[in-house]
């Protein structure tokens, strides 16, 4: 592993556009984000694959970073529809989200596939943002800890001595797109568990970023980011309006 060193624990705010956007909407959104610089936090947008090129052009002369929302576990080959980490690297991607709950749910991605994707990203110099999180049924059954630990342990074992290079995102499935945010205390409790699990695996755990995702909005961001083990956010819906996204980025310092 030989990633660009990052400032330890400086907050990171990542907009996950999901399957939203158009040439016109992207240009307006990116201009809004660029125009509101500087930020105290690191800021990134993860855009649909076809828009990587225009995003790279729009952000080239700025310190705003960009990435993708997935990548293949394979380097190359007969994998129709997939995009490799090497290709993302060619487009200047700093990040690739892997294991988002929408991919785990709708595309049946297993813990091991997610781990293999994270490894493929790191091998090409792209930082994986590895998502973990429990469903509402799992939380209500008292399984939150065992679920997120199981999801993260596959990645830790697969990345081995490079585990310290990933970014982790805790995204409780019941908080995604529902307007029902985890309380800062609920989120902090899980983040602390995840950091303890990382600490058992890598000496870099104290410097690693663990982002919270799930209905982050301008009016709840500051309280979430004030928690000791929350190092920023992975933002869905609110990342599509530049005023909201900028306000969330400003709430992190
Ligand atoms: P929302 O912010 O829309 O809840 O989405 C969160 C998310 O899934 C980010 O990856």
């Amino acid at each position: 592993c030989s990633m660009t060193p990052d400032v330890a624990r400086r907050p990171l705010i990542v907009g996950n556009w999901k399957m939203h956007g158009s040439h016109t909407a992207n240009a307006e959104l990116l201009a809004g984000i660029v125009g509101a610089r500087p930020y105290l936090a690191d800021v990134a947008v993860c855009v649909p694959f076809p828009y990587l090129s225009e995003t790279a052009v729009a952000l080239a002369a700025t310190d705003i970073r960009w990435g993708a929302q997935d990548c293949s576990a394979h380097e190359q080959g007969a994998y129709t529809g997939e995009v490799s980490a090497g290709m993302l690297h060619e487009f200047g991607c700093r990040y690739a989200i892997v294991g988002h709950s929408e991919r785990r749910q709708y595309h049946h991605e297993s813990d091991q596939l997610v781990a293999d994707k994270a490894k493929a990203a790191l091998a090409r110099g792209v930082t994986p943002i590895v998502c973990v999180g429990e469903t509402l049924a799992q939380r209500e059954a008292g399984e939150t800890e065992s679920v997120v630990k199981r999801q993260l342990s596959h990645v830790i074992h697969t990345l081995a001595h490079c585990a310290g290079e990933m970014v982790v995102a805790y995204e409780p499935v019941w908080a995604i797109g529902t307007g029902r945010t985890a309380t800062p205390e609920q989120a902090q409790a899980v983040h602390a568990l995840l950091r303890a699990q990382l600490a058992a695996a890598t000496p870099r755990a104290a410097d690693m970023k663990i982002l919270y995702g799930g209905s982050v909005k301008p009016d709840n961001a500051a309280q979430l980011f004030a928690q000791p083990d929350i190092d920023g956010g992975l933002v869905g819906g609110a990342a599509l309006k530049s005023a909201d996204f900028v306000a969330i980025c400003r709430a992190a310092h």
Side-chain angles (χ1 to χ4, degrees), residues 9-54:
R9 301 291 288 279
R10 179 196 275 168
L12 170 64
I13 310 299
V14 180
N16 172 11
W17 291 5
K18 306 193 180 184
M19 199 171 72
H20 294 284
S22 67
H23 289 311
T24 323
N26 304 345
E28 196 181 316
L29 181 50
L30 291 171
I33 297 167
V34 167
R37 287 174 304 150
Y39 301 101
L40 294 173
D42 291 329
V43 174
V45 290
C46 287
V47 310
F49 293 130
Y51 297 136
L52 280 172
S53 182
E54 68 198 49

Side-chain angles (χ1 to χ4, degrees), residues 7 11 40 64 79-80 85 125 137 141 144 155 157 168 173 177 184 191 199 212 218 224 233 250:
V7 179
L40 294 173
I64 311 293
Y79 301 104
T80 301
T144 299
V155 188
H157 287 121
V168 175
V173 178
H191 282 232
Y212 168 79
L224 286 160
R250 292 242 164 87

Side-chain angles (χ1 to χ4, degrees), residues 89-235:
H89 184 70
E90 279 204 310
F91 280 95
C93 283
R94 175 92 176 221
Y95 301 106
I97 297 171
V98 299
H100 192 281
S101 63
E102 288 151 15
R103 295 210 59 88
R104 292 180 190 262
Q105 186 182 347
Y106 306 138
H107 301 271
H108 311 292
E109 293 196 2
S110 67
D111 294 333
Q112 190 55 48
L113 178 63
V114 172
D116 290 341
K117 288 182 170 193
K119 187 174 181 180
L122 270 185
R124 288 311 195 104
V126 175
T127 299
I129 300 175
V130 178
C131 302
V132 300
E134 82 288 1
T135 64
L136 185 58
Q138 289 165 334
R139 174 162 281 263
E140 287 175 345
E143 294 168 3
T144 299
E145 179 171 348
S146 62
V147 167
V148 298
K149 280 189 165 171
R150 186 201 70 224
Q151 291 172 332
L152 189 59
S153 71
H154 279 78
V155 188
I156 286 173
H157 287 121
T158 301
L159 298 186
H161 66 283
C162 294
E165 307 274 358
M166 70 176 143
V167 170
V168 175
Y170 170 54
E171 295 211 316
V173 178
W174 48 272
I176 296 176
T178 58
R180 187 177 162 190
T181 320
T183 65
E185 295 73 25
Q186 282 175 323
Q188 165 59 27
V190 177
H191 282 232
L193 282 175
L194 295 172
R195 197 176 304 280
Q197 186 180 359
L198 291 165
T202 167
R204 299 186 53 179
D207 292 338
M208 290 176 67
K209 297 182 199 207
I210 308 180
L211 312 182
Y212 168 79
S215 298
V216 176
K217 306 288 176 204
D219 63 0
N220 61 27
Q223 289 170 288
L224 286 160
F225 301 159
Q227 299 298 312
D229 288 297
I230 300 184
D231 306 304
L234 184 53
V235 185

